[in-house]
Amino acid sequence: MKSINPYTGELLKDVEEHSEEDIDIIINKGEAAFQGWKKRSIAERSSLMNKAAEILRKNKEKYAEIISLEMGKVISESRAEVEKCAWVCEYYAEKSAGFLKDEPIYLPDRKKAKVVYDPMGIILAVMPWNFPFWQVFRFAAPNLTAGNTGLLKHASNVPQCALAIEEVFTKAGFPKGVFQTLIIGSKEVEKVINHSKVKAVTLTGSEKAGQIISAQAGKQIKKTVLELGGSDPFIVLKDADIEVAAETAAKSRMINFGQSCIAAKRFIIEAPVYDQFIKAFKTHIQNYQSGDPLDEKTGYACMARPDLAEELYQQVKSSIDQGAKVILEGSRPDKGKANFKPYILGDLSPDMPAYSEELFGPVAAVFKVKDEKEAIAMANDSDFGLGSALWTSDAAKADRLAREIESGAVFINSMVASNPHLPFGGIKNSGYGRELAENGIKEFVNIKTVFIG
Ligand code: NAP
């Protein structure tokens, strides 16, 4: 499996893939580890999770560099990602015992029962390259602390990140087999899902992968959590602080060079403030300087793979060919390279890719609406429902409209961001199930009723 620097095109490493026999050995090791791991107390497991946080912080520069080299993220964002992983480890180390404590139930006939939370066994995590550490840690921290064992199938363009994550858990002193990385392509995933010792699957990735993996797991009656794409609306009403909204909007579109499921992708602006917003938004986007991802001054470097840059360009081109207005002229990638310059597109109609599809890169779709009613209708006119941002200075209005938006989260006067304390996940084609917070740790446990007769 090839680890390639998308900024230079240089081959960094050729990582050997696991054979079918290796996969079997790894799964059996995961099951053997589970038998011991599930018997340890949550306190013991939490203490190792705190150790993992320490390892991450101690080796922050090393891991940040691997991330930037392998997928092109600017180094400051890679460092922040490693820090965030340490945070989620510490969060679950502190909270898991409380989240998973037995819950007594007092029945009307004075009989007693309780709910206990048992781990399930090996959980397969199929993960994307865009936040190659964070996506994995937000799966691993709750699940390992709950007593499950983890099997990672990472995206094929980030094998060095995958191995580095396994190293974190090894260095932290987790027993062998509690967290393992499979270096395999997507074709091998079904075999892993079908293995009797693999109990459930979580996927963060595209809708297409979600359809395939959930069908495969469904055939085996194994639970799935799906964290899929998003086309998050960023709604700015006329009473909002437009300057702050525009600056935040640019940040929310440009973070990770636009390759974030919860990046703001559709900017829905009330007519009286449209021109003011667009002017400021465009300036902020233009202020991002391109350069080497390892250079501290760089605002953005490149997309994670040349084919992703090409795919995004085709969405832009097709929209422009169908009549979209170019508000900010970006540029097409050089064939075979991952570079890209941001676009802002307006005058979009439902048949254009920039209206209806997820734009997984630095392309903003803007819409002018006449009032808040039209804004909410436009926000909900999407197959996706992951996050959303709503900008207004009227708190009562914000609360009322937040209920009307079809998404897994609404952030008021802020950009959408993941946080260990907040449940994270989507509705509609953005998937189902939740990660993070108390909800996240309860996805892959057996919620067992114990009745005392
Ligand atoms: P992707 O192509 O679906 O890949 C994600 C993972 O799924 C990779 O490990 C990939 O392996 C694997 N995969 C793909 N097709 C598969 C199949 N048929 N069977 C088994 N495994 C398969 O997604 P991506 O383009 O890398 O990532 C971007 C997408 O992820 C976007 O839509 C984004 O919005 C979404 N995302 C969602 C969240 C969230 O929390 N909701 C977070 C981040 C990203 P290979 O690399 O080997 O193909």
Side-chain angles (χ1 to χ4, degrees), residues 121-170:
I122 302 177
I123 314 296
L124 170 67
V126 182
M127 291 286 142
W129 44 266
N130 62 339
F131 291 92
F133 265 56
W134 169 241
Q135 302 290 356
V136 178
F137 275 89
R138 74 185 197 184
F139 149 75
N143 279 294
L144 302 193
T145 315
N148 291 315
T149 56
L151 205 51
L152 168 66
K153 179 270 179 275
H154 218 324
S156 293
N157 56 326
V158 289
Q160 292 202 75
C161 287
L163 293 172
I165 293 166
E166 186 174 303
E167 179 194 278
V168 171
F169 290 110
T170 307

Side-chain angles (χ1 to χ4, degrees), residues 126-130 135 138 153-156 184-186 189 203-206 209 212-213 227-230 261 358 360 386 424:
V126 182
M127 291 286 142
W129 44 266
N130 62 339
Q135 302 290 356
R138 74 185 197 184
K153 179 270 179 275
H154 218 324
S156 293
I184 56 171
S186 52
V189 169
L203 163 75
T204 301
S206 59
I212 294 169
I213 286 178
E227 294 287 359
L228 309 178
C261 53
E358 179 181 28
F360 208 61
L386 192 56
F424 185 102

Side-chain angles (χ1 to χ4, degrees), residues 212-227:
I212 294 169
I213 286 178
S214 60
Q216 290 167 348
K219 249 197 218 161
Q220 303 296 324
I221 320 190
K222 293 182 184 177
K223 187 175 178 185
T224 47
V225 164
L226 299 181
E227 294 287 359

Side-chain angles (χ1 to χ4, degrees), residues 214-261:
S214 60
Q216 290 167 348
K219 249 197 218 161
Q220 303 296 324
I221 320 190
K222 293 182 184 177
K223 187 175 178 185
T224 47
V225 164
L226 299 181
E227 294 287 359
L228 309 178
S231 187
D232 286 9
F234 189 102
I235 304 164
V236 181
L237 300 181
K238 60 179 185 249
D239 59 357
D241 183 332
I242 304 304
E243 294 305 317
V244 180
E247 188 178 354
T248 312
K251 193 172 163 204
S252 184
R253 182 59 287 197
M254 291 296 284
I255 195 156
N256 210 31
F257 203 30
Q259 303 162 110
S260 165
C261 53

Side-chain angles (χ1 to χ4, degrees), residues 11 36 52 132 162 169 185 197 214 231-232 240 266 271 287 301 305 357 376:
L11 175 69
F169 290 110
K197 287 171 183 156
S214 60
S231 187
D232 286 9
R266 295 179 297 135
N287 283 345
R305 290 192 320 247
E357 295 174 9
I376 301 302

